[in-house]
Every structure is written in structure tokens, then in C-alpha cells.
Amino acid sequence: MLDGIKDYDDAQRVAERVQELLEQPFGLSGRELFVTASIGIKYSSGGDEQPEDLLRDADTAMYCAKALGKAQYQEFDSRMHSHALTLLQIESDLRRAMDREEFQVNYQPIVSLESGRICGFEALVRWSHPERGLISPSEFIPIAEETGLIIQIGRWVLKQACLQMRSWQKAFPVTRQMKISVNLSCKQFMQPTIVGQVLETLRETGLDPSSLKLEITESVVMETGDYAMNVLEQLSRAGVELSLDDFGTGYSSLSYIHHFPVTALKIDQSFIKRIGGGQNSEIVRAVVSLARNLGLEVVAEGIETLLQLDLLKALGCAQGQGYYFSEPVGEESATELIQKEERGEFLSLLGKASAGGSLLEMTDSLTNSV
Ligand code: C2E
Ligand code: MG
Ligand code: MG
């Protein structure tokens, strides 16, 4: 409570002073500790506002400050309130979505860039909201994480994906070599029962562990250290494969990676987007050679153009996934892709890439400059 301040600037100055003071380390049992403060400010116009409302608004502003990163301050504005209400609404809808069967799993093929064959599919959850339509996982997964609902959703996705792969394997021999990749978020991974859950799902669905790949992000692995190592080792011993998703976006300690039993790196799509424009191919090249030296598979995410595909092939990237081959699609369309693969027709997508002399020449000259 700041009494007698003239305007918002006064409050801002106090917030800055608090943060400056907290920048100093604290001594605790002979160690130096650093803390940061996120501050939300609500400037009262002195009308008939209720104390609860002022506190609520300051709290909302504080959460916005936190979301912006550490040690920030933010003044409340009414858009924050409506944003918070939307999130609250999504959260309460999310709680009901499972029972109302509003989730669906889509599948996106992962393709061998050398042979053009489908090596597997990544399972990606979709939420079809009765009023808002399709809500992207990047919007609702963080809320599901925060509320813990991700555990229930994640378990369901894993089971659906394993059932689907098993049923494809029974119907189409070509899929027996394929793998199904399933994303695990941090909270899912941190459940003490995660290994048991995965193994039980495999048993229930009859899917062989070697047909399952779990994708986790590097930050999950790095932040949870020994715990991660232990879980990954148990999964790996059971025959499940592990990929590091969105590779390059976190703060990987390269010296760490080869200690973890991961089998693949997925290069984040932000790096793939930039190649072809002449810049940033170096990072992709470095990751590909890192993976090769560590004996890991490497998968490029987000391939959208023929040019990107050709450059990735030239850089020696073995596998890829992206709209160029197919968007994530529902079960039926994914089955059609498998049928195409069986008839050898999926290959023609890549066939296009190596045909067309002028394109090849263009790629060659670009490749030389890569
Ligand atoms: P991700 O695991 O890195 O998945 C790849 C994302 O890239 C997917 O977005 C996919 O649709 C998108 N993508 C694929 N090819 C292209 C392309 O050529 N261009 C562009 N621009 N995008 C492409 P999606 O489905 O929206 O999922 C976003 C993220 O949400 C996923 O990133 C993953 O981290 C998370 N997610 C999705 N499904 C699940 C799930 O079942 N469980 C958990 N825990 N997370 C999930
Ligand atoms: Mg993924
Ligand atoms: Mg990714």
C-alpha cells in the first residue's frame, strides 16, 4: 500500500527501488542466494473500488509480470483482466473436455530423407472446442500443464497413439518398422509413476516397446538432472526410444547429451525456417554433425519447401517432418498415407525433389554456399 503518491510514476519508482534492493545477494548458511521479485501495480483512482478488487488486479498484473520473465513490474490494465478471464474459461472448459471427448489425435509422418519412406508418425493432440473451434496445443498444453490436467490428457494421447500404431501394424505390414512418437511434457515426465504408466500402456495395447518413441524437450532433461537420467534409463532399458524435441531452443549442455540414453535429436523448426535464405544453415550443419558423432538420429522439424528439403539432404540430415510431406492429419488420412507408402507412391513426393534438373542445379549452387 503506497499512501500519498501522486501518480503511477511514483509507484513505478518504488517498484524499481524494491527490485534494486533485492538484486543484492543474501547470505544464508555461508552461501550467497539471489532472489528476484515480480511486481504487479494497481493504481487506485480513489473511487469506490473495493480492496479485494484492487488486490485481485494487482495480483493479475503480477502474473503478467512473471510471464514476461523474472524481475519485472507491470501496471494493471483492463485487458489483463479479460485475458485472465479467458484463461480461466479455457481452464474450466479443459476440465470437461476429456469427458466430452473433445480431444483428437492427429498424426504427422516422419520421413527418411534418403529413401523417401515413412519411418513413423508423430502423434499430436487436437482440441475441438464446441464454441471456439480448434484450439492449438501450444495454447492449451501450457494451461493443462499448470492445472495438472496434462497428466490425464497425456495418458489418453499415449494410449490412443499406441492403439493406433498397433492397429496399423496389424493391417499394413509396411508399418511394422515404423515408430509412433508421443510428446511428454514436463509434468508428465515428472510423475513418479511415468515409467510404469508407459510400460502398462504398451502391455495393454500390445505395442512393442521398440515401436514407441517418446519426445521430451532438452529443458526437461537438463532441469531435472539425475531424476531425468534415471527415468530415461529405465525407459531405454525397456526398449522405448527417446528423442530430444525442439533441439537448439533450450540451453543444452552438449557435454551432457551423450550421457543420456536418447536416440534422436529433433532440430527445432525455427532453424529449418531460416535455411535456404542463406543464413543459419551452419547451426543445422553443426547439429547434424554433432548427432552423427554421438551416434544419434537427427530429424528436421517443419520442412515446408523443396528447397529446405534439398538443403537438408545435402547437409546429411537423415529424417524430416513438415508440411512439405504432410500436415498432421486425422486417422483416416494418415491411413491413406500408409496405403500410398505401401504402393510406393509416397516416395513420389521425394521423387519430385530429385527430378527437375534446374531445381537440382539451383540447390547445388545454394548447397555450395551453405
Ligand atoms: P512439437 O512436438 O515440436 O510438434 C511439432 C509442431 O510443429 C506441431 O505443432 C506441428 O503441427 C508443427 N509442424 C509440423 N510441420 C510443420 C511445418 O512444416 N511448418 C510449421 N509451421 N509447423 C509444423 P502442434 O501440433 O500445434 O503442436 C505444438 C506443440 O504442442 C508440440 O510441438 C508439442 O510440444 C505440443 N504437443 C502437441 N501434442 C501434444 C501431446 O499430445 N502432449 C504433449 N505433452 N504436448 C503436445
Ligand atoms: Mg514433438
Ligand atoms: Mg518440436
Side-chain angles (χ1 to χ4, degrees), residues 100-115:
R100 295 185 180 175
E101 298 181 12
E102 289 167 5
F103 293 114
Q104 183 194 325
V105 181
N106 275 7
Y107 300 90
Q108 187 178 37
I110 298 175
V111 180
S112 155
L113 303 188
E114 286 145 26
S115 67

Side-chain angles (χ1 to χ4, degrees), residues 221-223 225-226 229 252-261:
V221 177
M222 298 303 156
E223 279 163 26
D226 288 348
M229 177 72 107
S252 294
S253 152
L254 294 183
S255 61
Y256 244 58
I257 285 172
H258 75 279
H259 292 303
F260 286 100

Side-chain angles (χ1 to χ4, degrees), residues 25-176:
F26 288 84
L28 193 74
S29 310
R31 287 167 187 257
E32 282 201 329
L33 293 183
F34 290 87
V35 294
T36 56
S38 300
I39 299 176
I41 302 171
K42 165 72 179 185
Y43 186 70
S44 164
S45 46
D48 54 0
E49 286 157 302
Q50 295 301 309
E52 303 86 78
D53 293 346
L54 288 175
L55 282 173
R56 179 202 59 205
D57 291 348
D59 198 44
T60 303
M62 181 198 67
Y63 277 104
C64 290
K66 272 184 195 281
L68 287 175
K70 289 184 170 167
Q72 305 265 349
Y73 61 84
Q74 280 290 300
E75 184 192 7
F76 177 81
D77 87 51
S78 56
R79 274 168 312 184
M80 288 180 183
H81 188 56
S82 50
H83 182 66
L85 282 182
T86 310
L87 285 188
L88 212 64
Q89 186 62 47
I90 292 188
E91 185 185 320
S92 82
D93 291 350
L94 203 52
R95 289 185 193 280
R96 280 182 294 237
M98 199 73 203
D99 294 335
R100 295 185 180 175
E101 298 181 12
E102 289 167 5
F103 293 114
Q104 183 194 325
V105 181
N106 275 7
Y107 300 90
Q108 187 178 37
I110 298 175
V111 180
S112 155
L113 303 188
E114 286 145 26
S115 67
R117 309 204 70 103
I118 300 178
C119 336
F121 287 87
E122 176 171 5
L124 293 156
V125 68
R126 295 289 176 263
W127 179 17
S128 156
H129 188 285
E131 286 117 40
R132 287 167 204 264
L134 267 189
I135 301 186
S136 145
S138 14
E139 205 175 320
F140 74 83
I141 295 277
I143 304 174
E145 269 269 291
E146 208 171 296
T147 51
L149 287 165
I150 189 66
I151 292 183
Q152 206 189 351
I153 301 172
R155 204 179 288 171
W156 179 83
V157 172
L158 178 67
K159 180 144 184 203
Q160 285 312 106
C162 290
L163 276 174
Q164 184 62 65
M165 195 66 216
R166 184 70 194 122
S167 112
W168 279 332
Q169 287 182 343
K170 283 185 188 151
F172 306 102
V174 73
T175 58
R176 297 204 181 128

Side-chain angles (χ1 to χ4, degrees), residues 104-106 108 122-126 135-142 145 150 153-154 156-158 182-186 188 215 217 245-246 266 268-269 273 300-305 308 321-328:
Q104 183 194 325
V105 181
N106 275 7
Q108 187 178 37
E122 176 171 5
L124 293 156
V125 68
R126 295 289 176 263
I135 301 186
S136 145
S138 14
E139 205 175 320
F140 74 83
I141 295 277
E145 269 269 291
I150 189 66
I153 301 172
W156 179 83
V157 172
L158 178 67
V182 179
N183 294 284
L184 278 194
S185 72
C186 186
Q188 283 175 278
E215 297 192 0
T217 58
D245 204 354
D246 305 340
K266 296 189 80 173
D268 189 66
Q269 46 178 280
K273 277 214 170 66
E301 301 190 277
I303 305 178
E304 291 184 354
T305 66
Q308 289 167 342
Q321 147 185 27
Y323 297 166
Y324 180 75
F325 303 112
S326 164
E327 291 189 11

